[in-house]
Amino acid sequence: MTLLQNIDRNAERWLLLVFYVMLVITMAIEVLRREIFAYSSIWGEEIVRYSFIYLAWIGAAAAVKERAHIRIDVIMHYLGPRPKALLYIFGDVVMFVVAVIALYWSYEAVHVSAKFGSVTDGLRVSKVWFLMAVPTGFALMIWRLIQSLMRDLKCLRDGTPVFEGDKLFD
C-alpha cells in the first residue's frame, strides 16, 4: 500500500486520535491543576474546546466515509441493488451540494477573521487556526462524498450491492 493510499484510508482516524489525545491530556492536566493547586488556566479550556470542535468536524467526515450518519433506512430493506444505489447516489449528491455551500460560507468566516486579525483570549493565537476546523471538515466530507459517489456509480453500473456501512443493530 502506498503512502497516499494509507493516508486516504486512515487520515480521519489519525487526526481523530491526535485531537482526542490532546483533549484528554489537557483536560486531565486542568482538572489536576484545579483540584490540587486551586488554579486553572484559560489556555487549557481553549485547547479542549477547539480540539472538540476539530473532533466533531473530522468525525463528521469519517462518518460520511463509513456511511455511519444517522438515517432512516426502512425502505432500503425492500429495494433491489439498482434502486438502492440510486437512492444513495441521490443522498450523496444532495449532501455534496450542502457541503459545497457550507464550505464556501465557513471559509468566508475564516477569511474575515484573518482580515481583522482576531486572536483567542487565552492563547493569543490567531483564530484562523481554530476556525479552519469547519472548512477542513467540509472539505474532507466533500472528498469522501466524491469517493462514495464513484463507488456507488460503479455498483450501479455493475449491478452489485452498494456499501451500506456497518450496522449498529441487526
Side-chain angles (χ1 to χ4, degrees):
M1 184 181 335
T2 67
L3 177 64
L4 289 178
Q5 288 173 327
N6 201 4
I7 290 171
D8 184 53
R9 177 171 286 149
N10 298 308
E12 287 91 351
R13 287 181 188 171
W14 294 334
L15 290 170
L16 288 171
L17 178 66
V18 166
F19 286 110
Y20 187 72
V21 167
M22 191 166 42
L23 182 146
V24 169
I25 289 174
T26 305
M27 192 179 298
I29 289 170
E30 285 302 303
V31 167
L32 290 174
R33 288 178 72 183
R34 283 185 189 151
E35 296 300 319
I36 295 173
F37 302 114
Y39 176 78
S40 65
S41 64
I42 193 167
W43 61 264
E45 185 268 335
E46 281 186 359
I47 288 175
V48 170
R49 179 186 331 136
Y50 295 127
S51 294
F52 185 75
I53 292 169
Y54 268 97
L55 272 172
W57 288 104
I58 294 169
V64 167
K65 176 184 173 194
E66 298 295 326
R67 276 218 166 108
H69 281 286
I70 296 173
R71 64 182 180 266
I72 300 171
D73 60 355
V74 174
I75 296 173
M76 296 294 207
H77 297 294
Y78 301 107
L79 297 176
R82 269 185 96 66
K84 194 180 283 191
L86 287 169
L87 276 175
Y88 275 117
I89 289 168
F90 175 73
D92 285 348
V93 167
V94 170
M95 194 181 225
F96 181 83
V97 170
V98 170
V100 167
I101 293 167
L103 176 65
Y104 172 78
W105 287 109
S106 63
Y107 180 73
E108 186 68 25
V110 173
H111 178 71
V112 168
S113 179
K115 182 178 176 180
F116 291 107
S118 60
V119 295
T120 63
D121 297 326
L123 294 171
R124 307 303 297 165
V125 175
S126 173
K127 281 190 179 180
V128 168
W129 291 107
F130 305 111
L131 292 172
M132 279 302 293
V134 181
T136 300
F138 278 116
L140 279 171
M141 272 188 238
I142 289 168
W143 174 247
R144 295 307 183 184
L145 284 166
I146 290 169
Q147 290 176 329
S148 178
L149 280 166
M150 290 171 41
R151 180 181 59 214
D152 291 346
L153 288 170
K154 183 180 182 306
C155 289
L156 181 66
R157 185 184 66 234
D158 298 344
T160 58
V162 293
F163 173 70
E164 297 187 61
D166 294 327
K167 302 285 186 236
L168 185 58
F169 302 106
D170 280 329

